[in-house]
């Protein structure tokens, strides 16, 4: 039976009704991996043995009459920047290629409690810096819809794994759009939760004030189920919010009558591929048809999101990545003359060009004499962007727009032009600066490539977003399309 | 030669006495095997996050209050970025523009003059680890890192440049140490590095208002070293100015063995620490009620206690100042006085014999084996005449070395004072008979000769004869 293209909730029903076993699910996914991984290259590390024994434990529990939680036995792929005890965690960087963490990230503990099955660790842009997965120091992942194209980034491996049937669900991290944009390119559901909703403990930091772990899934229901598992306060993370996590599936009613949705004109104008815009316009019609009230609005500081992001994120990254110096773990350059030489050579050889570029940008932005002109000013812009959203959410329950200005581009197309590459995240960056939640769901196709629709909500308004996304999904079949 | 004056400010690092580190649950115990007290968080492994230890904030507030500081209602942690192998994250979590406490002061007394020294700020930070070199740092073939100390909580106390001499700097540090020790937030052991001091020193011609170029002095780990290093550095800078040259802004280290300060790095090599707010730690909002609660928990501090010792026990100022240098010593004194109500006599013994033996053996009051109750008992024996003053010194020494009760020492060594008139009388007779020359001298008017005869009696009774009775009996017999 072809189980790898089913959803987690479908598989759970079959598991509970004893039509299948967890081991069969896991083996089906690994069979699929054997079949397509050579072309897709989504995984850095596969953990088959561990996965099978984990699945067997689920089957044993079921035999013994235990009630199975919704994600028990469900194969999940994990981005390779989340620490997995005993399983190497590389961040797709040469500098961590041999690093095996002695502890689990909090999300991994949650997945284990939920009895989900980890398939492996997925490829990404090095240290989550990039928008195409081409910055991986290991290899490039391909888009399952067209292997000449990128899967998006930086969580491209996770998005591609779900799209290609190499996992049922996946975890990614989103610092400036790194879940939503690859979800858009790969035609799957991807969500960035509110900053503080999911613990960052064990997520190898890129930019601490922006990073957030979130789910990839094939439909909105699965997204809600995975969100249920990973959300919640963590005493190990000071920035994690103390709040009561609702059952996110309870929002999946199909009813969005009277919901007020704003469409910021900044997300529909220049820079957006007209074909992408057409798909979003059609989506707007569907929402209107479902009884939602849509209206144009404005987020006037949107154009400053990109420059603000490219000061704040690199500034934090320059500090967060200082620990990779060859002293304690990871790569160490050989033949260094003295201590400083060892630091310099290790970092010069260990980091890829994009990581170095951002470390230098960040170091410069934080330097004495430039701090106020750059970093501090960027923080002020961040405040203005947040205020834009606050104002908009006084009037609207949700905001809507495209996830990315384009569909998946060809490999190598933008890799030599960093600025052009940065523009791909133009629709997603502001959400991270504001700390609000947002989802990308499949909304249609252009030239046989998926287009993502982005829904943004109030802080901790994940439920509202899921409600609208689910209603859209129930009335379309974009999420059922599969790559060949 | 022109007249110069020195301007000195101190930066003091104090290790807080919490059980666990500032951002994780690892132990802060001193002296464990290398890398024994470490976890992913204090090792700064990829993905870890700091969570602030509430006790650290409480202790920092307590120290700030004891130093008369204003406590911030809003404070935050910043990152101080620099590369060093003993710093796991290559940044130190510290506080930059919004420290926990500011604008405090303390009083010192130098040569009978009172002076107020300003405290600029008190801030919290994590300690770094320790590099172990084989031989010296420049010749070692490799270095090992011990991360036990990384993440141990520190407060840094920065003074205003209000001191003008080595004496003042030492007095400031002594007072600071006493105050912090009284609060109980640190044990302030300089030899274990839980109190460390750097000094900023500049010199200018008397009458000049702007400050001279300063040097930062590091690596002084005792009061003696601090005094010597500052004195040396003031002298050095004066000579530089006198030679018509300029003092270079730099960091200097104190070379204890050679008794000189040496250049470590100049301003050109100074770090740009690229401070910015640590995005992993939420800002601290300090509730007024909490500060009030901590304030209410502050013990009596050295200055108040000194004044109380003078007024309650009638002690001289000098005694009170010495006895209050540490909370333990003052506690020891007061416990003793409670059991033996002769405040000045107790003070004399503590400042005299006890202090002398502590110094000789390098002990602190906490290490002393004589309990306050035992000292009180000994003083009672002395008071009752059971032992003489001279025997008391012997008994005390034995108590100090063995921790035995005074009664036991007296009994074991047979040191009870002989006040039996018959017994003494017999010895006196013997001494008179054996020393006719001295008897003759005395009777011929040489008053001093009696001293020799008393000595002979004491010698033959092994010092146990009651000296008053010996004197009296001798005189009676010789004057017959």
């Amino acid at each position: 039976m072809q189980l790898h293209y089913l959803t987690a909730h479908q598989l759970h029903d079959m598991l509970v009704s004893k039509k299948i076993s967890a081991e069969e699910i896991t083996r089906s996914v690994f069979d699929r991996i054997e079949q397509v991984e050579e072309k897709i290259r989504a995984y850095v590390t596969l953990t088959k043995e561990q996965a099978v024994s984990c699945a067997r434990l689920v089957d044993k529990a079921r035999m013994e009459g235990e009630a199975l939680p919704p994600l028990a036995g469900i194969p999940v792929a994990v981005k390779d920047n989340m620490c997995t005890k005993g399983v190497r965690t590389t961040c797709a960087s040469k500098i961590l290629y041999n690093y095996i963490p002695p502890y689990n990230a909090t999300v991994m503990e949650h997945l284990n409690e939920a009895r989900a099955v980890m398939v492996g660790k997925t490829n990404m842009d090095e240290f989550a810096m990039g928008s195409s997965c081409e910055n991986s120091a290991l290899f490039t992942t391909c888009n399952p819809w067209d292997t000449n194209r990128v899967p998006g980034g930086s969580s491209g491996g996770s998005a591609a794994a779900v799209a290609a049937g190499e996992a049922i669900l996946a975890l990614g991290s989103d610092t400036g759009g790194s879940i939503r944009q690859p979800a858009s390119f790969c035609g799957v559901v991807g969500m960035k939760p509110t900053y503080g909703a999911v613990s960052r403990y064990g997520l190898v930091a890129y930019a601490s004030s922006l990073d957030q772990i979130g789910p990839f899934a094939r439909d909105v229901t699965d997204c809600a189920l995975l969100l249920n598992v990973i959300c919640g306060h963590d005493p190990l993370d000071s920035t994690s919010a103390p709040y009561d996590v609702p059952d996110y599936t309870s929002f999946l009613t199909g009813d969005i009558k009277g919901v007020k949705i704003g469409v910021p004109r900044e997300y529909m104008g220049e820079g957006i591929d007209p074909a992408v815009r057409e798909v979003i316009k059609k989506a707007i019609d569907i929402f209107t048809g479902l009884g939602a009230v849509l209206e144009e609005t404005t987020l006037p500081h949107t154009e400053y999101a990109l420059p603000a992001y490219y000061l704040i994120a690199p500034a934090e990254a320059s500090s967060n990545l200082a620990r990779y110096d060859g002293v304690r773990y990871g790569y160490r350059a050989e033949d260094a003359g003295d201590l400083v030489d060892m630091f310099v050579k290790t970092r010069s050889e260990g980091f890829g060009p994009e990581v170095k570029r951002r470390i230098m940008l960040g170091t410069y932005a934080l330097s004495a004499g430039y701090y106020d002109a750059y970093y501090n000013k960027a923080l002020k812009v961040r405040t203005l962007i947040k205020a834009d959203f606050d104002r908009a959410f006084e009037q609207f329950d949700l905001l809507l727009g495209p996830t990315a200005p384009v569909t998946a581009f060809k490999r190598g197309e933008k890799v030599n032009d960093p600025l052009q590459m940065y523009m791909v995240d133009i629709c997603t960056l502001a959400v991270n600066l504001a700390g609000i939640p947002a989802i990308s769901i499949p909304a249609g196709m252009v030239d046989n490539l998926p287009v993502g629709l982005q829904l943004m909500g109030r802080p901790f308004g994940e439920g509202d977003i899921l409600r609208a996304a689910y209603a859209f999904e129930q009335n379309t079949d974009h999420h059922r399309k599969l790559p060949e | 030669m022109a007249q110069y004056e020195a301007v000195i400010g101190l930066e003091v690092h104090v290790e807080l006495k919490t059980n666990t580190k500032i951002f994780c649950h690892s132990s802060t115990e001193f002296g464990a095997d290398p890398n024994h007290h470490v976890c992913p968080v204090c090792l700064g492994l990829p993905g870890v996050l700091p969570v602030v230890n509430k006790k650290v904030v409480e202790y920092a507030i307590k120290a700030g209050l004891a130093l008369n500081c204003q406590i911030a209602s809003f404070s935050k942690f910043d990152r101080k970025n620099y590369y060093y192998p003993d710093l796991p994250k290559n940044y130190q979590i510290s506080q930059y523009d919004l420290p926990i406490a500011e604008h405090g002061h303390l009083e010192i007394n130098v040569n009978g003059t009172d002076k107020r020294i300003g405290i600029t700020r008190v801030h919290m930070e994590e300690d770094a680890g320790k590099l172990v070199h084989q031989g010296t740092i420049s010749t070692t073939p490799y270095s090992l890192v011990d991360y036990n100390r990384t993440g141990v909580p520190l407060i840094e106390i920065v003074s205003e440049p209000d001191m003008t001499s080595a004496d003042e700097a030492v007095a400031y540090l002594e007072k600071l140490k006493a105050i912090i020790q009284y609060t109980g937030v640190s044990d302030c052991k300089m030899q274990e590095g839980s109190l460390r001091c750097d000094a900023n020193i500049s010199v200018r011609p008397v009458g000049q208002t702007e400050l001279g170029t300063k040097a930062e002095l590091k690596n002084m780990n005792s009061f003696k070293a601090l005094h010597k290093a500052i004195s040396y550095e003031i002298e050095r800078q004066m000579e530089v100015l006198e030679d018509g040259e300029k003092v270079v802004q730099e960091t200097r280290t104190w070379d204890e063995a050679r008794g000189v300060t040496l250049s470590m790095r100049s301003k050109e090599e100074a770090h740009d620490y690229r401070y910015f707010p640590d995005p992993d730690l939420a800002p601290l909002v300090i509730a007024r009620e909490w500060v009030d609660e901590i304030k209410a928990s502050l013990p009596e501090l050295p200055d108040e206690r000194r004044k109380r010792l003078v007024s309650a026990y009638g002690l001289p100022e000098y005694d009170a100042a010495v006895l209050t240098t540490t909370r333990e010593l003052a506690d020891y004194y007061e416990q003793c006085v409670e059991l033996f109500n002769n405040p000045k006599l107790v003070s004399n013994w503590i400042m005299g014999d006890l202090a002398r033996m502590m110094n000789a053996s390098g002990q602190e009051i906490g290490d002393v084996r004589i309990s306050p109750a035992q000292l009180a008992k000994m003083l009672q024996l002395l008071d009752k005449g059971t032992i003489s003053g001279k025997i008391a010194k012997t008994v005390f020494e034995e108590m100090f070395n063995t921790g035995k009760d005074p009664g036991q020492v007296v009994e074991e060594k047979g040191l009870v004072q002989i006040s039996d008139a018959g017994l003494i009388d017999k010895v006196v007779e013997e001494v008179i008979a054996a020393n006719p020359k001295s008897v003759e001298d005395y009777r011929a008017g040489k008053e001093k000769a009696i001293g020799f005869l008393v000595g002979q009696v004491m010698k033959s009774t092994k010092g146990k004869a009651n000296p008053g009775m010996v004197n009296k009996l001798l005189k009676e017999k010789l004057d017959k």
Side-chain angles (χ1 to χ4, degrees):
Chain A
M1 199 189 292
Q2 292 238 326
L3 303 173
H4 59 262
Y5 262 138
L6 299 182
T7 61
H9 55 96
Q10 285 168 332
L11 291 167
H12 176 74
D13 291 344
M14 292 165 76
L15 199 56
V16 170
S17 58
K18 301 195 173 152
K19 289 194 183 102
I20 49 165
S21 71
E23 188 174 342
E24 281 175 276
I25 300 173
T26 297
R27 289 200 184 279
S28 164
V29 165
F30 277 97
D31 288 348
R32 175 68 178 174
I33 289 170
E34 212 155 279
Q35 202 185 337
V36 300
E37 175 63 4
E38 208 175 308
K39 279 190 293 176
I40 306 296
R41 311 204 71 191
Y43 287 98
V44 172
T45 304
L46 285 164
T47 50
K48 185 173 180 180
E49 241 173 76
Q50 194 178 313
V52 171
S53 63
C54 185
R56 281 181 183 155
L57 283 175
V58 171
D59 287 332
K60 185 164 173 274
R62 186 182 60 167
M63 290 283 285
E64 285 162 6
E66 270 181 53
L68 295 183
L71 295 190
I74 303 299
V76 182
V78 177
K79 188 177 182 179
D80 209 20
N81 61 351
M82 291 169 220
C83 287
T84 40
K85 190 174 178 175
V87 175
R88 87 190 167 119
T89 299
T90 68
C91 287
S93 180
K94 188 178 170 186
I95 217 157
L96 279 181
Y97 71 105
N98 60 0
Y99 178 66
I100 298 175
Y103 76 103
N104 266 332
T106 297
V107 286
M108 292 312 300
E109 296 290 341
H110 287 324
L111 282 185
N112 290 341
E113 275 162 49
R115 318 200 67 161
V117 173
M118 182 171 85
V119 182
K121 306 294 291 291
T122 57
N123 195 24
M124 56 188 279
D125 286 296
E126 184 176 357
F127 283 103
M129 298 178 190
S131 310
S132 67
C133 245
E134 290 165 293
N135 291 332
S136 168
L138 309 172
F139 50 84
T140 305
T141 299
C142 300
N143 191 315
W145 293 86
D146 177 352
T147 50
N148 291 316
R149 292 178 185 269
V150 302
S154 62
S155 313
S158 286
V162 172
E166 294 185 273
I168 306 302
L169 296 167
L171 289 182
S173 71
D174 190 317
T175 307
S178 285
I179 290 175
R180 290 159 288 155
Q181 185 257 36
S184 171
F185 281 12
C186 292
V188 295
V189 175
M191 187 168 202
K192 183 208 98 78
T194 308
Y195 185 78
V198 180
S199 171
R200 291 187 297 116
Y201 187 78
L203 170 68
V204 179
Y206 158 23
S208 310
S209 76
L210 302 162
D211 295 341
Q212 190 63 192
I213 292 172
F216 282 102
R218 278 193 208 112
D219 70 6
V220 173
T221 307
D222 274 13
C223 178
L225 288 169
L226 185 48
L227 210 55
N228 278 349
V229 167
I230 62 174
C231 281
H233 175 65
D234 180 7
L236 297 176
D237 176 357
S238 319
T239 62
S240 124
Y243 73 113
D244 292 324
V245 182
D247 175 3
Y248 288 111
T249 60
S250 70
F251 292 91
L252 312 181
T253 59
D255 179 16
I256 55 161
K257 274 193 198 69
V259 171
K260 286 187 224 148
I261 303 178
V263 183
R265 65 173 76 100
E266 292 79 9
Y267 285 72
M268 292 294 275
E270 211 184 320
I272 309 297
D273 184 321
V276 168
R277 198 185 304 141
E278 279 314 304
V279 170
I280 302 304
K281 279 186 178 162
K282 274 185 200 148
I284 290 172
D285 292 341
I286 290 172
F287 277 110
T288 311
L290 291 170
V293 184
L294 282 92
E295 211 177 289
E296 189 183 86
T297 184
T298 176
L299 297 168
H301 296 95
T302 300
E303 62 173 305
Y304 303 112
L306 187 92
Y309 176 87
Y310 278 101
L311 286 167
I312 293 168
E316 293 182 11
S318 71
S319 175
N320 283 334
L321 270 60
R323 71 193 65 196
Y324 308 107
D325 58 9
V327 173
R328 292 159 296 270
Y329 46 77
Y331 177 76
R332 178 189 288 177
E334 285 169 20
D335 308 323
D338 59 21
L339 184 64
V340 173
D341 198 31
M342 195 272 277
F343 285 161
V344 172
K345 276 192 178 149
T346 294
R347 292 168 66 80
S348 300
E349 294 167 15
F351 287 134
E354 185 58 31
V355 174
K356 285 183 201 163
R357 186 176 296 126
R358 295 195 196 189
I359 288 174
M360 284 189 282
L361 263 172
T363 303
Y364 186 78
L366 289 175
S367 303
Y370 297 101
Y371 183 91
D372 283 323
Y374 296 108
Y375 181 76
N376 228 355
K377 190 166 265 177
L379 288 188
K380 285 177 186 159
V381 171
R382 184 177 189 169
T383 306
L384 293 175
I385 286 169
K386 199 170 176 304
D388 277 358
F389 280 109
D390 288 345
R391 253 193 313 275
F393 286 124
E394 279 169 22
Q395 206 182 336
F396 300 101
D397 301 308
L398 297 167
L399 297 173
L400 178 156
T403 306
V406 291
T407 53
F409 47 89
K410 288 210 169 95
R411 286 195 281 140
E413 196 182 313
K414 296 180 195 287
V415 83
N416 292 319
D417 188 346
L419 281 181
Q420 215 198 336
M421 186 77 95
Y422 296 168
M423 297 295 281
V424 179
D425 294 331
I426 199 127
C427 303
T428 49
L429 294 169
V431 160
N432 297 77
L433 291 168
I436 61 172
I439 201 169
S440 177
I441 54 172
M445 307 288 282
V446 170
D447 298 334
N448 209 31
L449 290 170
V451 172
L453 167 84
Q454 182 173 218
L455 289 165
M456 299 161 263
R458 298 185 181 103
F460 299 99
E462 279 82 352
D464 297 334
I465 293 173
L466 291 167
R467 183 199 309 276
Y470 182 76
F472 180 82
E473 191 181 80
Q474 291 302 101
N475 291 279
T476 58
D477 59 0
H478 307 299
H479 65 289
R480 292 203 184 85
K481 288 208 181 76
L482 297 173
E484 284 166 25
Chain B
M1 188 167 164
Q3 283 290 316
Y4 292 99
E5 65 176 7
V7 178
I8 304 164
L10 296 189
E11 291 171 13
V12 179
H13 283 92
V14 175
E15 190 177 307
L16 298 178
K17 212 170 64 184
T18 53
N19 295 326
T20 54
K21 294 184 179 181
I22 183 167
F23 298 121
C24 65
H25 295 297
S26 293
S27 167
T28 54
E29 186 204 356
F30 180 80
D33 287 344
N35 297 308
H36 193 71
H37 293 314
V38 295
C39 75
V41 174
C42 54
L43 284 176
L45 293 187
V48 297
L49 295 169
V51 177
V52 71
N53 181 344
K54 195 178 174 192
K55 202 84 191 165
V56 171
V57 183
E58 183 192 318
Y59 279 5
I61 291 173
K62 203 167 195 174
L65 289 170
L67 296 169
N68 304 298
C69 288
Q70 289 166 21
I71 306 302
S73 53
F74 183 88
S75 187
K76 67 177 169 71
F77 286 102
D78 302 271
R79 291 186 184 175
K80 181 180 182 179
N81 294 281
Y82 66 97
Y83 282 87
Y84 208 66
D86 69 0
L87 190 64
K89 302 182 290 292
N90 285 318
Y91 60 79
Q92 180 192 27
I93 304 178
S94 181
Q95 295 198 283
Y96 184 55
D97 54 344
L98 297 173
I100 188 77
E102 285 181 286
H103 311 303
H105 60 85
L106 57 73
E107 308 282 342
I108 58 169
N109 183 294
V110 177
N111 303 325
T113 313
D114 287 324
K115 187 169 178 181
R116 173 176 284 200
I117 308 294
I119 307 276
T120 316
R121 58 187 275 153
V122 177
H123 72 249
M124 301 175 276
E125 61 187 31
E126 57 179 347
D127 206 347
K130 187 173 78 172
L131 285 186
V132 185
H133 308 292
Q134 196 186 343
T136 72
I137 188 167
S138 48
T139 59
T140 184
Y142 58 85
S143 299
L144 302 171
V145 203
D146 178 2
Y147 292 109
N148 279 346
R149 222 172 57 189
T150 57
V152 164
L154 301 178
I155 48 173
E156 181 175 338
I157 303 161
V158 181
S159 84
E160 292 289 312
D162 286 348
M163 289 154 275
T164 56
S165 69
D167 284 348
E168 286 186 6
V170 168
Y172 167 82
L173 190 61
E174 277 174 346
K175 180 53 81 62
L176 182 68
K177 182 180 172 190
I179 293 171
I180 298 296
Q181 252 179 355
Y182 269 64
T183 61
V185 306
S186 172
D187 52 25
C188 296
K189 288 184 183 164
M190 286 183 95
Q191 69 279 16
E192 289 184 10
S194 63
L195 184 113
R196 289 169 252 165
C197 176
D198 302 336
N200 287 305
I201 302 163
S202 65
V203 159
R204 63 182 171 195
V206 171
Q208 181 182 308
T209 43
E210 66 264 38
L211 292 171
T213 309
K214 69 173 181 185
E216 191 185 5
L217 220 56
K218 289 190 179 288
N219 200 23
M220 300 156 295
N221 49 17
S222 70
F223 289 108
K224 220 159 132 190
L226 179 71
H227 196 278
K228 282 202 280 186
I230 290 178
S231 305
Y232 177 91
E233 183 59 21
I234 292 173
E235 200 66 28
R236 187 190 71 84
Q237 291 189 18
M238 280 185 193
E239 276 169 26
V240 169
L241 294 180
E242 198 58 19
D243 290 347
E245 286 166 33
K246 280 185 176 154
V247 173
V248 184
Q249 181 167 342
E250 61 185 350
T251 302
R252 298 179 73 85
T253 181
W254 171 243
D255 186 330
E256 180 74 52
R258 292 165 58 191
V260 295
T261 64
L262 300 168
S263 180
M264 272 171 84
R265 54 177 182 262
S266 69
K267 194 192 173 191
E268 286 70 42
E269 305 161 45
H271 284 106
D272 176 357
Y273 289 117
R274 304 192 314 280
Y275 278 103
F276 76 107
D278 192 325
D280 288 332
L281 286 158
L284 297 166
V285 179
I286 312 287
R288 235 351 76 183
E289 299 76 48
W290 193 35
V291 176
D292 292 342
E293 228 173 83
I294 297 168
K295 196 169 201 168
S297 78
L298 272 178
E300 187 182 34
L301 295 173
D303 283 349
E304 301 166 48
R305 194 159 194 180
R306 192 191 72 234
K307 285 173 195 156
R308 186 169 58 79
L309 291 195
V310 171
S311 62
Y313 301 114
L315 282 181
E317 271 286 343
Y318 177 79
D319 291 38
V322 172
L323 292 172
T324 53
T325 45
T326 72
R327 183 175 170 178
E328 289 75 14
L329 188 64
D331 286 348
Y332 188 96
Y333 172 76
E334 290 208 81
Q335 282 163 27
C336 212
V337 170
E338 197 163 305
L339 298 167
F340 181 75
N341 191 17
N342 186 339
K344 181 57 187 157
L345 186 63
V346 173
S347 167
N348 289 346
W349 273 88
I350 291 176
M351 289 175 33
D353 289 65
L354 184 61
R356 184 174 47 76
M357 287 185 207
M358 275 165 58
N359 273 336
S361 61
Q363 291 182 44
E364 309 261 345
I365 189 70
D367 312 320
V368 167
R369 297 174 70 178
I370 303 175
S371 70
Q374 287 175 319
L375 176 56
K377 264 190 225 163
M378 193 211 76
L379 294 175
Q380 278 154 4
L381 292 178
L382 181 64
D383 196 46
K384 282 189 294 187
T386 311
I387 54 174
S388 66
K390 195 158 182 250
I391 290 176
K393 286 185 181 290
T394 313
V395 172
F396 188 80
E397 195 168 338
E398 182 70 7
M399 289 164 69
F400 187 87
N401 291 329
T402 63
K404 284 180 183 164
D405 237 39
Q408 195 189 347
V409 176
V410 167
E411 195 176 313
E412 278 177 9
K413 302 217 156 191
L415 293 173
V416 176
Q417 180 164 265
I418 302 168
S419 301
D420 179 335
L423 234 158
I424 295 175
D425 193 66
K426 198 174 148 241
V427 180
V428 167
E429 291 284 358
E430 283 167 16
V431 167
I432 288 175
N435 296 282
K437 177 85 172 64
S438 298
V439 172
E440 205 174 298
D441 285 352
Y442 175 78
R443 286 186 174 145
K446 285 188 185 170
E447 285 278 331
K448 274 186 188 165
I450 198 168
F452 173 76
L453 294 169
V454 170
Q456 290 304 303
V457 176
M458 295 309 281
K459 193 178 169 189
S460 112
T461 59
K462 289 176 183 148
K464 291 185 286 184
N466 184 324
M469 289 174 74
V470 173
N471 256 309
K472 189 167 158 263
L473 281 170
L474 254 175
K475 269 208 157 121
E476 277 174 16
K477 287 191 197 300
L478 293 173
D479 291 346
K480 260 186 214 165

